Amino acid sequence: NGRRGALMISIDCTHPDLEKFIKVKSDLDKVTSANISVRVSDNFMEAVCADLDWELSFTRKETGETISKTVKAVDIFNQLCENNWNYAEPGILFWDNIESWNLLSNDSEFHYAGTNPCAEEPLPAGGSCLLGAMNLAEFVTDDGKFDWNDFNNAVSIAVVALNEVLDEGIEKHPLQEQRDSVRDWRQIGLAIMGLADMLIKMGIRYGSDESIKLCDKIGKHLAQAALIASSEL
């Protein structure tokens, strides 16, 4: 009905078409309605740092044909950086971190397939992006302090609310694979906004050691309060 879907196209850092993919959006008439990213592994980054060769390889299951190519890892990384500087894409998804730093990393039945368009939320096949944000500026009291109790309580409310949105939307997904994924894995993306406004209201310089320690503390409180609320559900 005229609604444009949001799309992220990604490719693994071992794919033989990697160099073409990195440069695809330098043609402004191609891939005009999607974001693109490269799934980068720890091994690739180590090869970049050590200036090693990097093997690109893909095998077609249907025929058993393998297509291979050897490149310099640092050359690929430089191409990534250059195109991101010139065109803001492709992005880099640090895929080993994404797959290992999540609550389902020890579940053999769960695997990520990609991310939503701005990479806030990694998703399995058929996964649905559902995002919510806590406005940090609203938790600063009149005397310039951060209200931790109010914040923790609001996070709990947000977790419940986002789960209710999941349930409300299950039958609205067109594919059964999507409905099953939302029902079984129940992924939500809860994050923050209003960071700079919060720091202004608290009289803290953006980027200072104090601001970084505060952000770290907020992240820990958000994660803990969200986990507790999720377990109670």
Side-chain angles (χ1 to χ4, degrees), residues 36-49:
I36 66 171
S37 286
V38 174
R39 300 192 299 273
V40 165
S41 65
D42 290 345
N43 287 338
F44 174 78
M45 294 307 299
E46 290 167 2
V48 171
C49 292

Side-chain angles (χ1 to χ4, degrees), residues 36-206:
I36 66 171
S37 286
V38 174
R39 300 192 299 273
V40 165
S41 65
D42 290 345
N43 287 338
F44 174 78
M45 294 307 299
E46 290 167 2
V48 171
C49 292
D51 194 15
L52 299 177
D53 288 341
W54 184 249
E55 185 75 12
L56 305 178
S57 182
F58 181 80
T59 300
R60 286 195 65 197
K61 294 180 181 179
E62 296 82 0
T63 63
E65 176 191 11
T66 297
I67 302 168
S68 299
K69 181 180 180 181
T70 301
V71 296
K72 297 291 290 185
V74 71
D75 291 342
I76 295 294
F77 187 73
N78 285 337
Q79 289 178 38
L80 274 168
C81 295
E82 182 177 339
N83 277 268
N84 190 282
W85 177 265
N86 289 329
Y87 302 98
E89 291 193 88
I92 292 179
L93 301 171
F94 293 100
W95 202 246
D96 287 333
N97 288 348
I98 287 172
E99 290 199 317
S100 61
W101 284 81
N102 74 83
L103 298 177
L104 292 167
S105 58
N106 290 319
D107 191 320
S108 60
E109 296 183 7
F110 182 85
H111 299 284
Y112 283 130
T115 74
N116 72 320
C118 294
E120 302 105 330
E121 187 175 352
L123 297 164
S128 175
C129 166
L130 175 61
L131 304 178
M134 311 297 299
N135 185 357
L136 297 180
E138 292 297 310
F139 299 99
V140 181
T141 61
D142 292 338
D143 59 352
K145 305 295 184 182
F146 193 85
D147 191 330
W148 297 104
N149 290 331
D150 191 22
F151 179 70
N152 291 337
N153 182 56
V155 169
S156 300
I157 294 171
V159 169
V160 173
L162 288 171
N163 272 272
E164 290 179 351
V165 173
L166 281 179
D167 290 331
E168 179 71 19
I170 284 179
E171 297 306 318
K172 294 182 172 66
H173 293 292
L175 302 179
Q176 187 61 46
E177 180 185 30
Q178 295 168 318
R179 295 191 287 270
D180 292 345
S181 179
V182 171
R183 181 197 65 221
D184 294 343
W185 300 117
R186 307 198 64 79
Q187 283 190 268
I188 59 172
L190 180 61
I192 61 98
M193 61 186 243
L195 171 63
D197 291 329
M198 175 199 72
L199 293 174
I200 290 171
K201 293 173 74 172
M202 296 180 71
I204 298 174
R205 182 173 62 83
Y206 190 101

